[in-house]
């Protein structure tokens, strides 16, 4: 479609964009996908932490801004999503895998409670600095972390790398680690 108006999809629980259901606006209007919506706010949607996951299995594109808010995380399992609006996974995990690409280009540092990359074809990229906070986890069994921003795992965070078989972990951005790292080499 081609619109200057924003498309706002609100779900009080989970929100899923199924494979084959690409959302594309060739106009300037933004696209916001919100799970765990509080049921009240609409102009600036708020989420309830611990409730609702956004799952995207297809590409989402627009000439405007893309925002993804999930009270209990977000999964990018197919297609490409370049978030240049707001990104907030609430208290949940951001998962990238299954051929999904998440580019974080919000213009701010994005702090994640936990991040999982679990597929050779999964890509986390973009220009934002990404921080895994104290007490957070990075589980990286396969996939690529790329882009121009830095990846920071703070003191008190835990990183687990390795997945067995022929899984590959590819890093093409600066990683500043102050947490603990457990690495198990792949056998393939």
């Amino acid at each position: 479609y081609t619109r200057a108006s924003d498309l706002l999809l609100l779900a009080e629980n989970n929100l899923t964009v199924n494979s084959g259901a690409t959302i594309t606006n060739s106009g300037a209007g933004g696209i916001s996908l919100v799970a765990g919506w509080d049921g009240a706010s609409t102009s600036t949607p708020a989420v309830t932490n611990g409730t609702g996951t956004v799952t995207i299995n297809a590409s989402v594109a627009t000439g405007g801004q893309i925002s993804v808010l999930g009270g209990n995380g977000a999964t990018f399992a197919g297609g490409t999503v370049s978030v240049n609006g707001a990104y907030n996974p609430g208290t949940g995990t951001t998962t990238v895998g299954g051929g999904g690409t998440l580019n974080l280009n919000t213009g701010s540092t994005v702090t994640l409670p936990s991040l999982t990359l679990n597929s050779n074809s999964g890509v986390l990229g973009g220009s934002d600095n990404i921080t895994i906070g104290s007490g957070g986890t990075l589980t990286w069994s396969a996939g690529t972390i790329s882009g121009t921003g830095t990846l920071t795992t703070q003191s008190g965070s835990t990183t687990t790398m390795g997945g067995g078989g022929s899984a590959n972990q590819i890093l093409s951005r600066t990683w500043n680690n102050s947490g603990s790292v457990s690495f198990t080499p792949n056998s393939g």
Side-chain angles (χ1 to χ4, degrees):
Y1 67 99
T2 303
R3 295 282 187 257
S5 302
D6 292 341
L7 172 64
L8 180 60
L9 300 176
L10 303 170
E12 291 183 11
N13 289 305
N14 299 324
L15 186 147
T16 300
V17 178
N18 289 324
S19 178
T22 300
I23 301 173
T24 302
N25 179 7
S26 52
I31 299 172
S32 295
L33 307 173
V34 181
W37 174 53
D38 67 4
S41 59
T42 54
S43 60
T44 305
V47 297
T48 302
N49 281 335
T51 302
T53 301
V54 176
T55 302
I56 301 175
N57 298 307
S59 293
V60 178
T62 183
Q65 290 191 331
I66 296 175
S67 295
V68 176
L69 309 172
N72 196 31
T75 297
F76 302 85
T80 298
V81 180
S82 294
V83 177
N84 58 350
Y87 182 73
N88 181 358
T91 56
T93 300
T94 297
T95 302
V96 182
T101 297
L102 169 61
N103 293 309
L104 292 171
N105 299 306
T106 68
S108 302
T109 295
V110 176
T111 300
L112 304 174
S114 64
L115 172 63
T116 297
L117 283 94
N118 59 16
S119 168
N120 281 342
S121 55
V123 177
L124 174 64
S127 59
D128 287 351
N129 294 326
I130 300 167
T131 298
I132 308 298
S134 180
T137 59
L138 168 58
T139 305
W140 190 7
S141 59
T144 300
I145 298 177
S146 63
T148 57
T150 60
L151 170 65
T152 300
T153 45
Q154 293 182 338
S155 177
S157 67
T158 302
T159 299
T160 304
M161 295 179 65
S166 60
N168 295 308
Q169 295 90 21
I170 300 169
L171 177 67
S172 60
R173 75 164 51 206
T174 299
W175 179 10
N176 300 314
N177 178 54
S178 295
S180 66
V181 176
S182 171
F183 177 71
T184 303
N186 296 327
S187 60

